[in-house]
Amino acid sequence: MRTYIGHQQAVSAEDFVELALGTPVELWLGAESETDEERAARLDAARDILADPEYRSLPDDVARIAAEVIEAHAPELFNVVPLARPTRRRRSSRKGAAA
């Protein structure tokens, strides 16, 4: 089954997020190998996008998407299983042993 958002086909979860936000995820999260100059350019671009009236609702959209993901996956995210605590072994004392 193929899924389209507008005229774009969404193949992966990253595609859904990018199409929902209208910007690539890497613009906001960066890349591990980016240089200081690349990071500065990326942050400048992000500031320009946030200043654009078309993207005024972007922070609210991101919060809504994050809340929906958390709600959809809450059972898995909050499936906390208590771990058994290790028991301490008591050393037997040798009373009455010759010194």
Side-chain angles (χ1 to χ4, degrees):
M1 176 184 272
R2 294 182 182 176
T3 303
Y4 288 87
I5 298 176
H7 298 294
Q8 300 288 324
Q9 181 179 4
V11 178
S12 65
E14 289 81 19
D15 288 345
F16 280 104
V17 173
E18 184 172 333
L19 291 168
L21 297 176
T23 61
V25 176
E26 293 81 20
L27 176 67
W28 308 105
L29 301 180
E32 290 181 26
S33 61
E34 74 182 359
T35 64
D36 289 340
E37 288 178 352
E38 291 170 331
R39 182 175 190 272
R42 178 178 58 78
L43 293 176
D44 283 342
R47 277 189 284 277
D48 289 345
I49 288 172
L50 290 174
D52 187 331
E54 181 180 344
Y55 289 96
R56 203 169 273 155
S57 68
L58 186 61
D60 293 333
D61 294 342
V62 170
R64 180 184 45 77
I65 291 168
E68 288 173 0
V69 169
I70 290 169
E71 183 179 29
H73 298 285
E76 296 90 21
L77 291 173
F78 300 110
N79 187 12
V80 179
V81 178
L83 299 175
R85 291 186 176 186
T87 57
R88 293 185 180 177
R89 293 185 181 179
R90 295 185 182 198
R91 295 183 182 176
S92 60
S93 62
R94 293 185 163 180
K95 291 186 179 178

